[in-house]
Amino acid sequence: MYNTKVKICGITNIEDAAAAVEAGVDALGFIFYPKSPRSVDTKTAARIIKELPPFVLTVGVFVNETPDVVNKVAAECGLDRVQLHGTEGPGYCGRVNAKVIKALRVSDIGDINVIKEYCVSAYLLDAYQEDVHGGTGKTFDWDIAVAAKRFGNIILSGGLTSENVQDAIRRVKPYVVDVCTGVELRPGKKDPEKIKQF
């Protein structure tokens, strides 16, 4: 039996975090990218994280931020992982003090070849959309994710909902499934019922 973990990303308030924990999620994602409608400030994230039980992982999402800022925010919030969603290269990843998840936006099989250049704890695969660094709500060809598994731990993201997540897990057997828009009422506000169903 393959034990895929669940991460809910784009947490902006304590109510959504509590609903996710109640439903049994493994990890929560906090977006520190000001251009995102799900962006959260350091103080708010730290306050939410302080309330979480000890075995829920916390992940900070950053886009082309300086390593110094990433390390400062990670330390202030007590983040367990750092997820990089921009054009950060392998050298950049080595300057981050926390364990790193490198996000890649994929549209075809060739997009995963870059994984070989990175030495990180996991790779998040998301649907490619020009000028959007994630949270598109769109799926991509899951066969690409299956092929990427030979490089390491894969986090499957992009357009996942309670309707398709079982199929995704069956086909890909990813280390983690990552959902954001699929459990929202609106950007930045989760739906407790959708979280439960997912």
Side-chain angles (χ1 to χ4, degrees):
M1 179 74 184
Y2 198 86
N3 187 18
T4 296
K5 299 186 184 319
V6 176
K7 171 174 169 266
I8 293 190
C9 204
I11 296 293
T12 62
N13 58 79
I14 193 71
E15 296 78 23
D16 291 351
V21 168
E22 177 75 18
V25 301
D26 301 287
L28 296 177
F30 299 85
I31 299 173
F32 299 97
Y33 179 52
K35 290 181 183 172
S36 169
R38 302 165 187 90
S39 180
V40 69
D41 62 65
T42 306
K43 200 174 284 186
T44 303
R47 200 164 50 240
I48 296 168
I49 289 166
K50 206 172 172 204
E51 298 293 317
L52 296 176
F55 295 110
V56 175
L57 274 183
T58 56
V59 181
V61 178
F62 300 87
V63 179
N64 296 330
E65 192 54 88
T66 67
D68 288 346
V69 169
V70 170
N71 289 332
K72 186 173 184 286
V73 172
E76 285 176 13
C77 292
L79 296 172
D80 298 304
R81 303 285 183 274
V82 164
Q83 186 173 308
L84 302 174
H85 257 272
T87 55
E88 304 90 357
Y92 178 111
C93 296
R95 293 167 60 198
V96 174
N97 296 335
K99 283 193 173 181
V100 171
I101 297 163
K102 181 65 183 106
L104 300 166
R105 298 179 298 153
V106 295
S107 56
D108 64 57
I109 193 80
D111 292 334
I112 63 169
N113 290 331
V114 71
I115 289 177
K116 293 183 287 224
E117 298 169 22
Y118 287 87
C119 184
V120 294
S121 65
Y123 307 93
L124 182 141
L125 303 184
D126 198 356
Y128 178 86
Q129 187 174 323
E130 200 174 354
D131 301 327
V132 180
H133 294 280
T136 64
K138 291 181 166 56
T139 58
F140 64 95
D141 179 358
W142 292 337
D143 288 342
I144 298 171
V146 173
K149 285 175 62 183
R150 69 182 186 272
F151 297 115
N153 293 321
I154 294 299
I155 300 172
L156 184 65
S157 186
L160 295 176
T161 65
S162 58
E163 284 81 37
N164 67 8
V165 69
Q166 278 186 312
D167 187 34
I169 291 169
R170 242 193 323 269
R171 282 177 57 189
V172 180
K173 297 182 177 64
Y175 180 60
V176 180
V177 285
D178 187 330
V179 65
C180 185
T181 57
V183 293
E184 282 184 331
L185 285 166
R186 59 182 184 276
K189 183 68 189 126
K190 304 301 184 205
D191 181 333
E193 203 44 52
K194 284 184 180 177
I195 288 175
K196 235 181 283 179
Q197 288 166 2
F198 191 89

